[in-house]
Amino acid sequence: MDISIVIPLLNEEDSLEELTRRIDEAVRKIKKEYEIIYIDDGSTDNSYKKIVELKEKYPEIIVIRFRRNFGKSAALSAGFQKAKGDIIITMDADLQDDPAEIPNLLEKINSGCDLVSGWKKKRYDPVSKTLPSKLFNYTTRLLTGIKIHDFNCGLKAYRKEVIKELPVYGELHRYLPVLAHWQGFLVDEIVVKHHKRKHGKTKFGARRLFTGFFDLLTVLFITRYHQKPLHLFGLLGLISISIGFFIDLYMAILWFQGHGIGHRPLLLLGTLLIIIGAQFFSLGLIGEMLISSRTKHSIYYSVREEVE
Ligand code: UDP
Ligand code: MG
C-alpha cells in the first residue's frame, strides 16, 4: 500500500461525496495504491450512512465509527493504527483542505522529509479564528524553535515511522510537528490552498484558545522533561528552598540579637517557601519513580537506521 488518507469527521454528511471523489481523482492521476480511512467521531447526522454508501462505489474506503465523540486527536490516533500505507496523509473532512495538494505533499516527503505540514498561507476563515491562530503559531514557534507557520493545519503527510512512534491523545494533534521534531524527525512545510467551509460549521470554538495553551505547556513539559522530571521540579524546589532558607536565617539572626520576630510577615514567607520547595522536590521524585517503573517497557529513543 502506497498511501493511507486518514480523515476524522464529525457531522460532515454534505461534504463526504465530493471529498471522496476529489481524493480519488487526485490519487489516480499519480497512479498510487491507496486507502481512505474515515473515522466517524460520533456524528449525529447521516455521515456514517453516507460513508457506507460511498464504500460501494469506492472499495478503498475503510470506516471506523466511534461510539461517541472522542475528539480529533483520538480519531487521528485510531486512523493511524489502522493505516497500512508507507505514507500517511491526514486531511479535514470539510473540504477546506484541497485533495489536489496530495501529490505536492508526496513530492516533499520523497525529497527527504519525514513530516510535511500544510501552510494555509491565504486562509478563508473568520478573523475570530485567524487572529488567535496567528498568536498560537507565533508562541509555539518561539517556544519550540520549530520554523513552521501553521502547526494546526489538518493537511499533513507523514512517513509511517513517524506515526508509529508518536503519541496522539488529549488534544495533542495540534502539536504533532513538535513531537515529531523532538523525536529527531525532519519536519518541513509547503504552502497549500485553503477553501471556505461549504457545508456545516466549525467544531472548535473560542474554548480552544485556552486549552491550546494548556496543551502547549504539556508538550513543552513532555518533550523536555518527560524522562527527567526531577531536573525541572528539583530546580524549582532548590530555588524556593534556598530563598526560604536565607530569609529564615536572617530572621534567626535577628532573633538571636534579641529582636522579636513573631509579628514579621517575612518569617511566614520564608517558611512557606521552604515547604513549597520540599513539595516540588517530592513531586520530581514521584515523577522519577513513575518513569523508572515504566522504563523496562519503553526505553525512550528513536532509531533512524540499523546495519548488522
Ligand atoms: N472533527 C472531529 N472530531 C471533533 C471535532 C472535529 O473529527 O471532535 C473533525 C471535523 O469534522 C473536521 C476536522 O476535524 O473534519 C476539523 O474540524 P473543523 O473544520 O471544525 O476545524 P476548523 O477548520 O474550523 O479549525
Ligand atoms: Mg475546517
Side-chain angles (χ1 to χ4, degrees):
M1 180 76 61
D2 299 323
I3 315 171
S4 300
I5 299 160
V6 172
I7 307 177
L9 62 114
L10 174 61
N11 299 336
E12 309 280 6
E13 58 183 351
D14 297 323
S15 308
L16 295 168
E17 189 166 354
E18 184 182 343
L19 180 69
T20 311
R21 179 172 49 74
R22 284 173 49 191
I23 292 174
D24 188 65
E25 273 169 23
V27 185
R28 261 174 216 291
K29 243 187 238 160
I30 48 172
K31 299 200 173 51
K32 297 279 186 197
E33 206 191 333
Y34 77 102
E35 62 184 359
I36 302 180
I37 305 176
Y38 280 119
I39 304 96
D40 177 3
D41 184 14
S43 295
T44 47
D45 65 356
N46 286 320
S47 294
Y48 180 73
K49 212 171 127 222
K50 192 93 209 176
I51 299 169
V52 174
E53 274 169 30
L54 282 166
K55 190 169 162 55
E56 288 184 7
K57 188 166 168 211
Y58 302 96
E60 295 85 359
I61 292 179
I62 293 173
V63 50
I64 300 172
R65 187 187 194 184
F66 282 176
R67 277 185 213 287
R68 63 162 172 87
N69 176 242
F70 282 92
K72 194 175 172 185
S73 287
L76 284 173
S77 193
F80 285 169
Q81 274 184 34
K82 194 92 195 160
K84 295 188 291 293
D86 295 326
I87 293 170
I88 288 85
I89 292 177
T90 60
M91 192 182 283
D92 289 354
D94 54 1
L95 290 167
Q96 288 197 275
D97 298 330
D98 198 324
E101 297 287 353
I102 292 175
N104 305 333
L105 288 166
L106 293 178
E107 199 181 313
K108 188 80 187 173
I109 289 266
N110 289 330
S111 77
C113 288
D114 296 310
L115 190 167
V116 180
S117 182
W119 172 15
K120 308 175 292 248
K121 198 166 181 182
K122 180 136 183 46
R123 241 183 114 162
Y124 296 90
D125 277 321
V127 189
S128 59
K129 253 188 135 73
T130 52
L131 210 64
S133 176
K134 277 219 169 80
L135 180 70
F136 161 83
N137 280 311
Y138 176 76
T139 319
T140 310
R141 212 160 41 233
L142 198 73
L143 293 177
T144 61
I146 302 168
K147 300 272 169 298
I148 69 175
H149 293 85
D150 192 358
F151 287 88
N152 193 22
C153 185
L155 190 57
K156 289 194 175 67
Y158 309 77
R159 266 178 219 285
K160 70 164 179 268
E161 299 88 281
V162 183
I163 59 150
K164 300 293 174 212
E165 282 190 29
L166 292 189
V168 203
Y169 61 90
E171 297 259 295
L172 292 193
H173 62 267
R174 296 196 188 99
Y175 295 96
L176 284 170
V178 180
L179 296 169
H181 170 82
W182 189 258
Q183 198 84 330
F185 290 111
L186 261 162
V187 177
D188 209 338
E189 67 182 353
I190 61 170
V191 174
V192 294
K193 271 194 261 75
H194 186 242
H195 302 281
K196 253 207 170 74
R197 203 181 229 287
K198 258 200 213 163
H199 314 280
K201 49 180 189 293
T202 176
K203 310 298 181 302
F204 295 103
R207 200 177 53 93
R208 78 162 157 193
L209 239 178
F210 299 100
T211 56
F213 283 104
F214 289 144
D215 291 330
L216 180 60
L217 199 64
T218 306
V219 165
L220 287 173
F221 179 70
I222 61 175
T223 49
R224 287 189 171 67
Y225 297 105
H226 186 251
Q227 294 293 302
K228 42 183 188 200
L230 192 57
H231 287 207
L232 177 66
F233 291 114
L235 182 71
L236 293 176
L238 201 66
I239 294 172
S240 183
I241 286 180
S242 311
I243 299 174
F245 174 79
F246 283 112
I247 290 177
D248 279 3
L249 187 67
Y250 169 65
M251 287 285 111
I253 293 168
L254 286 185
W255 186 72
F256 276 118
Q257 289 171 344
H259 302 284
I261 55 168
H263 60 288
R264 297 292 299 267
L266 205 55
L267 180 67
L268 214 61
L269 178 66
T271 314
L272 189 68
L273 285 173
I274 292 174
I275 294 174
I276 291 174
Q279 282 180 337
F280 271 133
F281 255 111
S282 345
L283 212 59
L285 285 171
I286 291 175
E288 294 287 342
M289 266 162 67
L290 279 176
I291 291 168
S292 77
S293 63
R294 251 192 11 198
T295 301
K296 270 180 224 125
H297 310 290
S298 63
I299 295 189
Y300 191 76
Y301 53 65
S302 173
V303 177
R304 179 179 294 181
E305 263 146 339
E306 223 177 276
V307 181
E308 273 186 44

